[in-house]
Amino acid sequence: MGSTEDTGNFQILATLAIGATLLSLSLLLILYPLAYRKRVVQAIEGESAVHGSRRYFAWATYLLNRYYLPTAGQRATYYFAAQTLFRIQRYRIYIALAFSVGLSVAIMYATTFAVEEGLLVARLASGRMIGASIIFTSSVVGGAFLCLRSPTEPGASWIFISIVGQTIRDLTSGTRRWVLMFSIGATVVLTVPVWFLSQRHSGTPMHLLSEIATCLLLTELFFLSFQKVPFTPTGADLGRDLSTVVLHCLLACIVLPMVLMVQSRTEQNWPLSIAWLTFLFIATSYFNSWYLHLGSSFVFEDTQESLQQLGL
């Protein structure tokens, strides 16, 4: 910059940048050969339909199906969304982009710089951790929303007709329940180590409840008007959904700051904070029920044409 002032601070920033670049390069050199080998093995030998390690989680699957996904429609859309999302490379890239963007913006928001003894020091600000987690959760839920509304096969929804007793509520709630579990898992895995590293052990349980409530709000907000089988919307539906995406972002700009403000003011008062989170859960549940009772139609895409092609 043509000046010798603050040269030491710029050297510190350069050291941080070089370290981050070397770390990224090291991860690339380690992970790329492993991914390439897996891809070559899949192309030559194929991939087994069921992974052997899943039998160890049979008890978790049983509890999930029994209590979290009690109806056939919920289980159908839940597992259809989960398996399709992680089997197609394009969607895995979308999710990776959503994770990386959310993590980058959250780190930029939570990081503060200070000068100590003439040196520049970077720290995670404990007062911004809630906002950073909300930013990350928004990116994860938004990325899942974009993936699930991206068309893979518009005619693939014909199989859901065979589910006896299906309702709009079952098919749409299965999608939202998967996104809710996915966002909560991603947020908890990221934020719990960060909270312990930032030495905020005492407030971790309440902040976890806040993040779970945020995941619920964002899931209901983004998927409120999404009444399609995942990965089966047509081009016309995507055009209409673009306006809903803009509306969701505008609502998020209104709702999330309010949630953040109230939670930051009540985090030291456990009864009041728990009452606030309980109100959020009840309000979102009733709002979703009210919206579904408006009479919105659930449409199976290209049903007759798909059945004719299959000889049905």
Side-chain angles (χ1 to χ4, degrees):
M1 298 177 64
S3 174
T4 58
E5 298 179 0
D6 294 330
T7 304
N9 291 334
F10 281 107
Q11 289 178 350
I12 294 174
L13 290 175
T15 303
L16 292 174
I18 292 174
T21 304
L22 292 177
L23 177 61
S24 301
L25 181 60
S26 301
L27 291 175
L28 174 64
L29 294 177
I30 294 174
L31 297 178
Y32 186 83
L34 297 177
Y36 180 78
R37 180 181 179 277
K38 180 181 178 181
R39 190 68 175 174
V40 171
V41 171
Q42 288 178 353
I44 298 176
E45 301 179 6
E47 185 178 8
S48 59
V50 179
H51 197 277
S53 62
R54 291 183 180 178
R55 64 179 181 270
Y56 298 110
F57 301 99
W59 60 273
T61 304
Y62 171 77
L63 294 176
L64 185 71
N65 294 337
R66 179 71 180 272
Y67 299 104
Y68 192 66
L69 304 168
T71 66
Q74 292 174 350
R75 291 192 293 270
T77 52
Y78 183 95
Y79 290 112
F80 180 67
Q83 295 179 16
T84 304
L85 185 65
F86 293 109
R87 285 178 177 175
I88 298 180
Q89 184 180 12
R90 180 174 77 253
Y91 295 138
R92 293 200 298 266
I93 293 175
Y94 291 165
I95 291 296
L97 289 174
F99 269 68
S100 59
V101 170
L103 182 61
S104 301
V105 177
I107 291 175
M108 288 190 293
Y109 176 80
T111 302
T112 58
F113 293 92
V115 178
E116 296 181 359
E117 299 179 357
L119 298 177
L120 191 65
V121 179
R123 285 201 179 97
L124 292 176
S126 58
R128 296 187 177 185
M129 297 302 296
I130 297 179
S133 63
I134 290 178
I135 292 173
F136 177 76
T137 304
S138 302
S139 178
V140 171
V141 176
F145 175 73
L146 293 177
C147 288
L148 297 182
R149 63 185 283 272
S150 299
T152 298
E153 177 53 59
S157 61
W158 70 270
I159 189 64
F160 290 86
I161 301 176
S162 63
I163 302 176
V164 179
Q166 65 179 347
T167 62
I168 297 175
R169 183 185 299 275
D170 292 340
L171 293 173
T172 56
S173 65
T175 303
R176 290 196 304 275
R177 292 187 183 200
W178 180 85
V179 176
L180 179 61
M181 289 286 289
F182 179 68
S183 60
I184 290 176
T187 304
V188 169
V189 168
L190 176 70
T191 56
V192 169
V194 172
W195 278 107
F196 277 94
L197 291 176
S198 62
Q199 299 179 352
R200 289 288 301 273
H201 303 177
S202 59
T204 301
M206 185 53 60
H207 289 299
L208 284 178
L209 289 177
S210 302
E211 290 158 6
I212 292 174
T214 303
C215 293
L216 176 66
L217 282 174
L218 288 172
T219 301
E220 296 292 342
L221 185 65
F222 274 90
F223 288 87
L224 179 64
S225 59
F226 187 81
Q227 299 193 30
K228 302 286 183 181
V229 177
F231 308 108
T232 62
T234 61
D237 296 323
L238 297 179
R240 291 194 298 268
D241 284 345
L242 185 60
S243 60
T244 64
V245 173
V246 176
L247 178 61
H248 295 159
C249 294
L250 292 177
L251 290 176
C253 293
I254 298 173
V255 174
L256 293 182
M258 182 186 68
V259 174
L260 180 61
M261 179 185 66
V262 175
Q263 188 60 34
S264 62
R265 293 178 180 272
T266 61
E267 63 176 343
Q268 302 300 329
N269 190 336
W270 277 66
L272 186 60
S273 185
I274 292 177
W276 164 244
L277 295 177
T278 304
F279 168 76
L280 291 180
F281 276 100
I282 295 176
T284 51
S285 299
Y286 273 97
F287 182 73
N288 178 261
S289 300
W290 169 80
Y291 187 85
L292 289 178
H293 282 300
L294 288 179
S296 300
S297 58
F298 190 96
V299 179
F300 291 100
E301 303 300 338
D302 300 331
T303 299
Q304 296 299 328
E305 181 180 355
S306 301
L307 294 178
Q308 293 174 2
Q309 293 176 355
L310 293 170
L312 302 176

